[in-house]
Amino acid sequence: LCEENDRHLQGIIPDLMIDATRLIPFTQAESLQGVISLVDAKTLAPGLVYSEHSNTKPNEAVEKRSSAVNTQYHRHAHKLDRNLHHTAPGTLGIIEQELNTYGHSGRVLGAVVGAFSECSKDIYTIRDLIAHCQALRLTDHLAMDLTIASGIFKHQLTHHWGLTFSRGWARLLLQRRRDLLQHGPASTPSPRQQPHHRDNYADAFLRHRRRPRFSRPGPPPRRA
């Protein structure tokens, strides 16, 4: 492949594939039910994309980025059909036809996390689907209402994902600040040098679990 076609090919490789064809229909996560959906995960860094939106609608910036994911996927597929299969203008090529077999009418979900840890609607849809499946498994063993069980798992997922998103952005900002102060790309430590064990202890504390085990010997860090 040439450089242009390789770029378009990279643009239609999803991060996640969700198969909900065998799921019993329920009121939430309708955009995932009965189909195999493609999901592309994106992050939205702070910048003009936030200041240029004067709309007071919540999460307007991440929703705009999420809707652009589907458009970009179909644009890449169309250009690949034109370059590789010489598809005539106005007709659907082989790659775009295959893309349309996923999701509802070929829609690709854009799971976008913003600079303030806000999420697009597609992330909440995936959360609702996971919570529903976990609730079905729980109600098979316990006499509990499915709606109540689903609400419990939604709360847990929202809490855990929100913490993960916020901490990820905080870690990125701290690393960028350290690089700017120390002047050089070598200032960024290797993954083995980064204190990920502290994040694991935070997870264990907030999720009311036992203290995790680590490959690195030594006691957990003490608070000052």
Side-chain angles (χ1 to χ4, degrees):
L1 293 177
C2 65
E3 183 178 353
E4 179 185 0
N5 292 334
D6 184 66
R7 184 176 68 253
H8 293 311
L9 181 61
Q10 293 295 326
I12 60 172
I13 298 178
D15 297 304
L16 186 66
M17 178 183 291
I18 301 176
D19 186 356
T21 55
R22 300 182 180 180
L23 189 66
I24 300 176
F26 60 105
T27 55
Q28 298 176 338
E30 295 180 353
S31 60
L32 295 176
Q33 297 179 34
V35 293
I36 301 176
S37 300
L38 303 179
V39 183
D40 197 276
K42 299 291 184 182
T43 56
L44 189 63
L48 295 177
V49 67
Y50 284 94
S51 59
E52 67 185 6
H53 288 288
S54 58
N55 197 333
T56 57
K57 183 179 178 181
N59 302 339
E60 178 69 16
V62 292
E63 289 300 334
K64 182 177 180 180
R65 182 66 185 93
S66 178
S67 61
V69 169
N70 181 63
T71 304
Q72 292 172 350
Y73 262 68
H74 284 270
R75 184 185 301 120
H76 288 308
H78 178 75
K79 291 184 178 179
L80 283 174
D81 280 326
R82 183 191 60 187
N83 296 340
L84 298 179
H85 303 288
H86 307 288
T87 304
T91 59
L92 290 178
I94 299 176
I95 300 177
E96 196 167 3
Q97 289 179 11
E98 179 66 20
L99 182 61
N100 287 335
T101 61
Y102 295 94
H104 292 284
S105 301
R107 180 177 179 269
V108 180
L109 278 68
V112 182
V113 178
F116 304 96
S117 301
E118 75 277 23
C119 304
S120 61
K121 293 180 180 179
D122 290 334
I123 290 185
Y124 291 103
T125 302
I126 298 173
R127 179 208 61 179
D128 293 344
L129 179 67
I130 297 174
H132 180 75
C133 294
Q134 290 178 324
L136 287 175
R137 186 178 304 173
L138 179 64
T139 53
D140 286 341
H141 304 281
L142 296 178
M144 180 183 293
D145 184 74
L146 182 62
T147 304
I148 297 177
S150 180
I152 293 174
F153 288 113
K154 283 183 185 179
H155 176 76
Q156 292 180 356
L157 289 171
T158 302
H159 178 85
H160 180 61
W161 288 5
L163 173 65
T164 302
F165 297 154
S166 299
R167 195 168 55 208
W169 277 116
R171 183 187 298 118
L172 177 63
L173 292 176
L174 289 174
Q175 290 178 354
R176 288 181 174 178
R177 177 181 178 273
R178 181 171 56 247
D179 291 343
L180 289 174
L181 292 177
Q182 297 183 6
H183 303 288
S187 60
T188 302
S190 64
R192 294 183 179 180
Q193 297 173 339
Q194 294 178 0
H196 292 304
H197 60 286
R198 296 188 179 183
D199 295 338
N200 293 332
Y201 277 105
D203 276 335
F205 174 77
L206 292 172
R207 301 185 68 184
H208 305 286
R209 300 169 113 188
R210 295 181 180 179
R211 185 190 308 178
R213 296 180 180 179
F214 305 100
S215 58
R216 184 171 10 184
R222 295 182 179 180
R223 295 184 178 179

